[in-house]
Amino acid sequence: MTSDAWHKLETAFARALSLQGEQREIFVAEFAAAEPALGAELRRLLSADGDADAELVDPIAATAASLARERGDPWVGRVIGAWTITRRLAGGGMGAVFLAERSDHQYEQAAALKVMAAQLVAPEAIGRFKSERQILANLNHPFIAKLIDGGSTDEGVPYLVMEYIDGMPIDQYCDGKRLRVAERVALFRKVCEAVDYAHRNLVVHRDLKPSNILVDAQGNPRLLDFGIAKLIEADSARHTVAMTREGTRVMTPEYASPEQVRGQPVSVATDVYSLGVLLFRLLTGQSPYGANPTTPLEIARAIVELDPRRPSTAVSLTGSDAQVGEHRRVSLDVLRRALLGDLDNIILKSLQKDPERRYPTAEALAADLRRYLANEPVQARGDDWLYKGRKFTIRHWRGVTMTTLALVGSAAIAGYYTKRLTDERDRANLAASQAAQVSGFLSRLFDSASAFASKGEAITAFDLLEQGSRDIEQLREQPQLQAELQRIMGTSYTSLGFTTRSTPMLEAALATKEAATPRDELSIAETLENLSEAYRQQGQLEPAESYLRRALAVREAELGENDALIAHTQARIGAVLHDRRDYDGALAIEKQALETFIALGLGEDPAAIDVRGNLCNSLDSLGRYDEAAAMFAETIALSRRIEGEMDPNTLIRMANYGLLMTRQGRLDEALQQFDVALERGRKVWPEDNDNLAFMASSRAAVLKRMGHMSDALAGYEEAARITRKGLGEHNARYSMRLRGLGTVLLDMGRYQQADAMLQRALQLAIELQGEDGPQAAQLWMFLGMSSREQQRPAQAEAYLRKSLAHANRMTKYNQLNARSTLAAAISAQGRYSEAEQLVQQLLGEMIAVNGENSPVNIPFLSMAGVHYRRAGNLQRALEMGERAYRLAEPEMAKARWVAALAVADYADTLREARRPNDAERLYREAHVVLVRTFGAKDPRTRRIAAQLGV
């Protein structure tokens, strides 16, 4: 059957479903007359639908699956990309899902491979499937299934590969494990967390149901199938997805919201409704609308027209069904009483027909469930004073009892608790009112991206933010609402890299929140942290640290010291301190943060893994390489297990480990690490994301040291293009890209170009960060290296002393390089005693940091040998040269140019020691490598050629 025929059949089926009785028969007869080959198939579908065959909720997918079973499955055994399909797992509206295994033998891994059924390859279907692939690539959360791979088959059929979740649908898991009500609520809160994460990334799932939420062996939910999600950020998928096209059924009726049934635009409230249906089923085992609606049409009518039952009432009506209580380890009567009250109200609030009367966000729903579990007043209950008083007494019964016994003055007690409860009520009222208003604002903003409002125009996340920024100006008479929206949208601007937009918006939000009466201190702390991140991304590290310190003080005052938010703030301070090159300070506070996470039982939480990664970086920067390497291996393994192979944080940690390998001289391992991280990164991030620039430049640094100069230069140029496209030229990261270009030009011997590039980077760095900023110190070091290579030792010394005046802004690796270059410059000026002191210090530190036999020691030893030869200590020069040569010899087999330069320096010493044969042999070895790396016309190559007389 052709794709056109399938489209006709699909459209006809949807049309027939909308008709009843004689009208349907007339339509079917007319269709069969016009399309004889399809008439029988249409009647078959309608017959199955009349029998309420659940398999045929999506008719086309089910028919495709049926035909596949009848004719054999052509996909099983097929190799697609790096994957071999082993068996079919399921069929769905977008195609089929298979179990697959890696076929390239790089490593063993099972995965779920989703491929569009060939019969459905219509342009809009392909667009929607590609939308799913990009959505999954952008969503990285521990409770959302990770994207591993994706592409198109030889026939052009798109596919994606997700991690295979060996789990059970959440409703079956809860019943199979006989989870109690509180345990089910706790598990469900994790689902809300994943949905809220998707919403904050401007994605609505739109098909939340048990089969799309599997629970793994560790008891964690994993959200699947974003195939019909509404992608607001059209920049990431440049097409318009016609989700409301007649005949396309892009929802599961039992979990659909009223607005979906009516064909109206969806918003975050749509998923909140589906979550309410899911929670109803998890707690009662039933649908909110009872067992009567069976056909899709009856279900749709119930959703739109009938009020859902109270969960407690639904249970009471099923007294004969003992399994419901048995699956929850309670009697039906106890279950009914457990649902009565708070859970009734929470679920019914989620199931309001009017989206604006539901919880404004999935996080707000999760927060009310947390309050339920903690016996705190829930928002869904409203403002009943006696209710809140009862909740307060339950939470603090010991204190209330002791106070009552000790103080007979009951009037004083009543006054105290009246004030306490009034404050609590007022805060709850304010929070509920503000949350509802925020929800309404964001819902209207989401609606502006619907097909009805956009009229086919591509709507990007930036477009939405710009529209929202204009709309916020109309809220001046509601300053608290305006401030919260400014905070939310300012943070979104930051996440998109538009920090010049975010900082003034966040500053305004902070000023309003600080001037409010009463002040919401934790909201102020959150705004301070958001503002800090915006400044950090701009390279303005002093205000970034200042805002975080203020946030930490507020949170400590409000929460005490032993809280996850405190640890999170400490971790962020550590990141800023690391950026400021205060590595000791960063290490200390990061250790403190990790200890807090571990003490709270959150040692494997993503936030704790992030702290571990930062600790690795700090140890690396301090030159504690062995400790850093061991911790990197442990952290990356944990990151892969908890967050996934394709998680952006996993990829960044891999790249950071690659930097350490580079500093250790493990170049082959480093290149492999960067190759994997960069390949996966291109699937995860858009092409202008600066993480790709970081990885490309880091990989280029390895290629440079390996002698692949043309490839290295291309890599640095690509990194500069990515940063320029994503962030522009006026930022610290672009200064770093210019620095990378300058270093490769320097090593290629193109000194004038190198100096110009390094000076340009220095000017930008000073403009952004000042002369004592972290970038300037490194740039003066490289300018000093360039001057030394050009035989200008006095100028080199001046640059290097400026660099070392800010040595605390440099990694240990760069400090050693700067001091080594300074020693060479001083020695070249004939100040041998002064140079000698530096050389002795460096040799000791070099061994302490790198170990005795690291190839990183080669240029240090070579520099020492050249110094001793100049100073007339030929014996010591030969000793240093011999040590350098022992380390360089295996590197020469890999054509490493740094080793070749050291071998040439040793040959100079051998020639002066009147060992011409040994010197000639080493000159020849070095000449081969240097010609291969730089060419015969390079001054370094020509100098050696002159010694050989060639």
Side-chain angles (χ1 to χ4, degrees), residues 533 536-537 539 541 572-583 586 733 769 773-775 809:
E533 179 60 20
R536 188 188 75 83
Q537 289 197 21
L541 302 178
R572 298 313 307 152
I573 292 173
V576 172
L577 290 176
H578 187 276
D579 288 350
R580 297 192 73 177
R581 308 304 197 260
D582 180 4
Y583 303 122
R733 295 184 185 181
Q769 300 175 341
Q775 290 284 344
R809 301 294 196 192

Side-chain angles (χ1 to χ4, degrees), residues 584 587 591 619-629 660 849:
D584 288 305
L587 186 67
K591 283 184 175 180
L619 289 168
D620 176 9
S621 299
L622 288 166
R624 294 162 62 172
Y625 296 146
D626 290 341
E627 293 176 73
L660 172 61
V849 171

Side-chain angles (χ1 to χ4, degrees), residues 143 184-194 221 362-363 365-371 373:
F143 302 146
R184 290 170 186 246
V185 170
L187 177 62
F188 179 80
R189 286 189 69 240
K190 294 182 178 180
V191 176
C192 293
E193 180 183 329
E363 192 279 331
L365 169 58
D368 235 4
L369 291 171
R370 181 199 62 75
R371 295 184 191 100
L373 293 172

Side-chain angles (χ1 to χ4, degrees), residues 155-168:
E155 301 86 356
V157 178
Y159 71 90
L160 57 82
V161 183
M162 295 174 291
E163 62 175 322
Y164 174 61
I165 308 300
D166 187 8
M168 300 171 62

Side-chain angles (χ1 to χ4, degrees), residues 92 203 205 234 288-289 425 435 513 553 596 626 775 796 863 897 900-901 934 936 948:
V203 175
H205 189 285
Y289 302 102
R425 180 195 62 203
K513 288 173 181 283
T596 300
D626 290 341
Q775 290 284 344
M863 178 276 298
W897 63 276
L901 290 176
F934 301 117
L948 292 170

Side-chain angles (χ1 to χ4, degrees), residues 310-378:
R310 284 186 169 272
S312 57
T313 303
V315 169
S316 68
L317 296 175
T318 60
S320 61
D321 189 358
Q323 278 192 335
V324 173
E326 182 181 333
H327 286 155
R328 291 151 183 81
R329 301 189 192 181
V330 292
S331 67
L332 286 175
D333 184 58
V334 171
L335 176 60
R336 184 188 67 79
R337 284 187 276 113
L339 299 176
L340 186 66
D342 282 351
L343 288 175
D344 275 343
N345 291 327
I346 289 171
I347 292 173
L348 291 178
K349 182 175 177 66
S350 304
L351 295 176
Q352 290 285 337
K353 304 292 186 191
D354 183 355
E356 292 191 4
R357 298 186 63 191
R358 297 174 204 152
Y359 285 100
T361 63
E363 192 279 331
L365 169 58
D368 235 4
L369 291 171
R370 181 199 62 75
R371 295 184 191 100
Y372 161 77
L373 293 172
N375 274 314
E376 297 175 358
V378 302

